[in-house]
Amino acid sequence: MSQSSSTHNGLGRAESPRSPYRRKRKVLSCEHCRCSKLKCDRQQPCGACTRRGCELSCSFLATPTVPTTSTNVHRTTSNPSSSNVRPRKKPAASSAPLRQPVASSSGGRAQRSGADEIQDSQDSRWEAVLQRPCPEDDPVAATDTLSPFSVGPSISLPDIIDILPSRTSCDCLVSHFFNHISALFPILHGPTFQKQYVAFMQQPYEVDLSWLALLFSMCSLTLNTMEPSDPRLVDLWPKGSHFQEQEGVTLSRRLQQTAMVCLLQDQFFIRHKHSTFEALLMVIYNLSHNESVDQGWALLGMALNIGIALRCNVDSQGLNHLETERRRRCWVGILTLHTYQAILFRDIDMSFLLDIKTTMPADVNDVDITQEGISQASSSPTQMSVMMFKVRLFRISTQICHHISGPSRLEAEPLREFDAIIAEEQQRWDSTYLVDGAPNILDSSYAYWCILQTYAHQLYLLLHRPFRHSQSSCFLATSRDRCIASSAALLGIHRQIYEVPLLRPYLWLLRGVTSLKALHAAVALNSCLLDMPSSFESGSYREELNKLVLRMESLSRRSAICLKAHRILLQLQTQFGAANQQAADSGTRFESRIEDWTDMREWFGADLFNWNLDSVGNLPAV
């Protein structure tokens, strides 16, 4: 049916606008949700309008369905009444309508069979997970965003400061950050931040807005790493109320949004300071671990240009040792953030970053750096050691992604060379963070080892993907074995971080980047298992995949990424079961047809998928 001959009500059902005798129905969606084809929660204002800043124009009056033009509705800002944030609980998020398959000009995708179909189907599944999503096609993502362009009118400095948690809560969050998070992203010099923090608390209205953005984003990130039931956070919740996990997520998002408000009001587009660079990096790191890696993509480009403009990649004249090291740390921070983009989407060649000459920061602790000089590097791991390993990984991953984007990706010799490079890095991590090959129970060393290993196994999967299928012209049995082993290793690390008490402080990593790698591993493992001979014993691997589904379901309460990954994994379970059943009935191999039942280019927006599949996982006829 053409668009001109039908309209859609708030429930997505087609109605004819030409019938004069149509019975009037109760208005179930506000005008904005009806025009945008969003599910409306019927609050006043509704949740979708609240997220888009359209509270004042949220209306449930019945009006004729006619084409509408967009109007600019400015966001209104409420002023908090106290320094202890008491955010109003938001209505449940709206869900987007299911996406329908688009028929081709020939009337649909032709059905194929045989080895070519199996190979193409496997390639489609694996390739799809590595595609960058297209948020402009997702109306919910377009409105429910942390973009700095959607913050609306200016907010006074006193009102901004009132949004901060209390001094006691801020102290707790900052302390937790430097004790449990900073070593994973040590762009800040602790003693310097301490002085800045004390100065702010003494004279809050003299604060640099960009530095305040850094504090807000730091508090937002830290809050997401802690359990809402933590007694240290009691001041954040209304007295006598029963806290909920979603309240912590809501408060964290509000703090992150306020960080962007601070940056915007400080005119960070044209006014570049070192505090601007620090704040942007913290915002992007926060987005990568609590929203999605892709949300920070545009900001990452801006941060790179600001870093170049501030000459953070070169040693400027007139700076003391401390200021020089602070800039070097931020520069390696921008490089490591690019690693996420490279190994999770690999849709861009970032080797140009390797051509930018720079000096690496010293591998020393914060106390070893003063204005007068830097102490000699320690032989023991330092607060910068994880970052230094990540910088090496950035260089390796950039070279690998450059390789797999070109014709040499099908050559076996580069494959062996890169395998050796990754294995050498793994040996370095073993000697640094393990004790006689076993976890160190005296500090966080084992957590760092686990985190670094996820990078290594992700790179193995990217390298060996073209060689892993038996129907491929360049098939290597060793590559299929490597993919199975690395996939299982990624799932095992994901399980350990979730279950092992020693790793409990790092559970928050599973709400972002680490779960993206686990999803990639699950898709890769499923693909390889379907290609294995019938005599291959896959029970233990299937058990790991089933456990991953349960973990993703549990994590989805605080992670949109895990919620959407859980839905995808459920479909993989269904498809594999259907494959086994059909193979048993017909004696032939069955390959799940992921390219038919979903457009994985936008897998982050799982609400857009059409999950109404038939018994063997195919879309019903349209």
Side-chain angles (χ1 to χ4, degrees):
M1 184 177 291
S2 65
Q3 184 176 4
S4 60
S5 62
S6 67
T7 60
H8 295 270
N9 62 16
L11 297 178
R13 289 192 291 264
E15 297 178 344
S16 171
R18 299 179 178 178
S19 174
Y21 304 104
R22 186 178 58 189
R23 184 180 63 183
K24 292 185 178 180
R25 298 180 178 177
K26 185 178 181 180
V27 179
L28 298 178
S29 300
C30 73
E31 284 300 300
H32 282 296
C33 289
R34 183 163 22 189
C35 293
S36 300
K37 298 182 177 65
L38 299 177
K39 182 178 179 181
C40 185
D41 58 22
R42 305 199 67 228
Q43 302 294 319
Q44 185 66 48
C46 74
C49 287
T50 300
R51 287 192 300 274
R52 292 180 294 175
C54 304
E55 299 97 329
L56 297 180
S57 60
C58 182
S59 171
F60 289 82
L61 297 177
T63 58
T65 305
V66 295
T68 60
T69 56
S70 60
T71 58
N72 294 326
V73 181
H74 293 289
R75 185 185 302 274
T76 58
T77 306
S78 59
N79 297 336
S81 58
S82 67
S83 59
N84 286 335
V85 179
R86 301 291 183 265
R88 180 180 60 184
K89 185 174 181 181
K90 293 184 178 181
S94 302
S95 60
L98 298 177
R99 168 166 294 186
Q100 298 297 324
V102 180
S104 64
S105 57
S106 60
R109 182 180 284 106
Q111 302 297 318
R112 298 181 299 165
S113 62
D116 289 341
E117 181 179 346
I118 292 176
Q119 175 66 19
D120 291 347
S121 212
Q122 291 282 12
D123 288 346
S124 176
R125 164 184 290 153
W126 205 333
E127 184 73 20
V129 177
L130 301 171
Q131 292 296 317
R132 186 178 301 279
C134 302
E136 68 271 12
D137 294 334
D138 185 346
V140 175
T143 56
D144 185 15
T145 177
L146 292 173
S147 167
F149 300 104
S150 62
V151 296
S154 298
I155 305 176
S156 67
L157 181 58
D159 287 341
I160 291 177
I161 293 176
D162 279 347
I163 298 175
L164 270 178
S166 66
R167 170 67 186 269
T168 302
S169 296
C170 277
D171 290 350
C172 171
L173 294 173
V174 170
S175 176
H176 188 90
F177 174 85
F178 281 100
N179 284 321
H180 298 286
I181 305 173
S182 178
L184 302 179
F185 194 60
I187 63 170
L188 304 177
H189 181 249
T192 298
F193 184 88
Q194 167 100 355
K195 293 178 181 178
Q196 295 168 336
Y197 181 76
V198 172
F200 164 69
M201 289 300 177
Q202 292 175 346
Q203 295 182 305
Y205 300 112
E206 301 296 325
V207 69
D208 168 22
L209 274 174
S210 288
W211 183 90
L212 190 57
L214 171 65
L215 177 61
F216 268 106
S217 190
M218 179 188 296
C219 290
S220 169
L221 172 63
T222 307
L223 184 60
N224 261 326
T225 70
M226 304 175 69
E227 295 300 324
S229 57
D230 193 314
R232 294 174 295 176
L233 301 180
V234 66
D235 288 346
L236 294 177
W237 320 122
K239 293 185 182 298
S241 68
H242 180 69
F243 59 82
Q244 298 180 5
E245 287 188 343
Q246 192 57 38
E247 290 179 351
V249 175
T250 301
L251 176 54
S252 176
R253 286 181 60 87
R254 189 184 186 199
L255 296 176
Q256 178 77 322
Q257 288 170 333
T258 309
M260 292 181 172
V261 170
C262 293
L263 284 171
L264 190 64
Q265 294 191 184
D266 202 33
Q267 302 180 47
F268 77 104
F269 295 109
I270 57 176
R271 295 177 57 195
H272 309 323
K273 300 169 291 185
H274 185 65
S275 58
T276 307
F277 195 29
E278 289 179 327
L280 265 180
L281 295 181
M282 192 62 65
V283 165
I284 298 167
Y285 186 77
N286 194 350
L287 287 174
S288 297
H289 286 281
N290 292 298
E291 298 294 333
S292 80
V293 174
D294 200 69
Q295 278 200 21
W297 178 236
L299 289 176
L300 187 60
M302 297 174 64
L304 175 63
N305 289 328
I306 290 176
I308 294 173
L310 294 174
R311 298 177 60 81
C312 290
N313 60 305
V314 297
D315 295 339
S316 301
Q317 297 294 328
L319 294 180
N320 58 45
H321 293 281
L322 175 58
E323 294 303 314
T324 298
E325 281 298 303
R326 289 180 62 202
R327 281 157 176 76
R328 290 176 180 175
R329 287 186 174 192
C330 283
W331 184 257
V332 299
I334 199 74
L335 296 182
T336 58
L337 288 173
H338 277 85
T339 306
Y340 297 154
Q341 302 290 336
I343 68 176
L344 290 174
F345 299 118
R346 66 147 186 82
D347 57 0
I348 185 171
D349 185 356
M350 297 182 181
S351 56
F352 73 95
L353 292 171
L354 298 176
D355 298 328
I356 301 178
K357 304 301 180 183
T358 186
T359 303
M360 291 293 104
D363 188 5
V364 296
N365 293 312
D366 285 354
V367 295
D368 298 326
I369 307 173
T370 63
Q371 295 182 3
E372 291 73 28
I374 303 172
S375 301
Q376 186 175 359
S378 171
S379 58
S380 302
T382 70
Q383 293 169 309
M384 283 295 296
S385 294
V386 177
M387 182 64 97
M388 303 309 293
F389 281 128
K390 284 186 176 182
V391 172
R392 295 176 63 88
L393 277 169
F394 162 75
R395 296 186 180 279
I396 295 171
S397 64
T398 300
Q399 293 168 355
I400 288 176
C401 289
H402 175 74
H403 158 71
I404 62 179
S405 299
S408 64
R409 69 184 182 278
L410 302 179
E411 298 176 6
E413 186 58 33
L415 183 70
R416 288 188 287 268
E417 293 176 358
F418 281 121
D419 274 354
I421 292 174
I422 298 173
E424 184 179 355
E425 289 301 303
Q426 290 178 297
Q427 291 177 358
R428 286 193 175 95
W429 306 335
D430 291 350
S431 61
T432 302
Y433 293 120
L434 299 182
V435 179
D436 298 327
N440 187 341
I441 63 173
L442 302 180
D443 52 31
S444 299
S445 297
Y446 186 59
Y448 304 153
W449 181 87
C450 289
I451 293 166
L452 292 171
Q453 288 292 342
T454 65
Y455 288 87
H457 291 295
Q458 175 82 353
L459 291 175
Y460 279 132
L461 291 179
L462 294 178
L463 274 171
H464 288 269
R465 176 182 171 274
F467 306 89
R468 65 55 174 101
H469 199 281
S470 60
Q471 298 298 325
S472 171
S473 59
C474 54
F475 169 67
L476 294 173
T478 53
S479 286
R480 187 172 61 188
D481 293 342
R482 175 75 265 178
C483 287
I484 292 176
S486 286
S487 296
L490 278 169
L491 298 185
I493 292 172
H494 192 278
R495 175 174 48 80
Q496 286 190 69
I497 295 176
Y498 186 86
E499 296 178 352
V500 176
L502 182 65
L503 301 176
R504 187 68 182 180
Y506 300 91
L507 179 65
W508 61 276
L509 291 171
L510 302 187
R511 301 181 190 125
V513 173
T514 306
S515 281
L516 296 184
K517 296 175 185 175
L519 176 64
H520 180 208
V523 172
L525 180 59
N526 192 68
S527 175
C528 291
L529 292 181
L530 287 170
D531 185 53
M532 293 298 290
S534 57
S535 59
F536 181 76
E537 180 55 53
S538 62
S540 61
Y541 298 107
R542 284 293 155 194
E543 184 179 357
E544 279 295 325
L545 286 171
N546 292 336
K547 290 180 179 178
L548 177 65
V549 175
L550 296 177
R551 291 196 300 273
M552 288 291 191
E553 181 180 22
S554 175
L555 292 165
S556 65
R557 291 194 294 268
R558 293 183 66 180
S559 170
I561 290 175
C562 294
L563 174 63
K564 296 168 184 178
H566 176 246
R567 297 173 182 175
I568 295 172
L569 291 171
L570 286 176
Q571 292 302 316
L572 285 183
Q573 277 187 321
T574 302
Q575 297 258 318
F576 186 79
N580 282 346
Q581 183 61 44
Q582 183 160 327
D585 294 342
S586 64
T588 61
R589 294 300 305 261
F590 173 89
E591 173 55 32
S592 60
R593 308 171 57 98
I594 198 169
E595 79 280 10
D596 283 343
W597 60 261
T598 182
D599 182 0
M600 289 283 286
R601 289 176 305 169
E602 300 163 6
W603 74 267
F604 281 107
D607 287 335
L608 297 177
F609 297 167
N610 186 340
W611 299 113
N612 299 317
L613 312 179
D614 61 22
S615 59
V616 294
N618 294 324
L619 283 170
V622 181

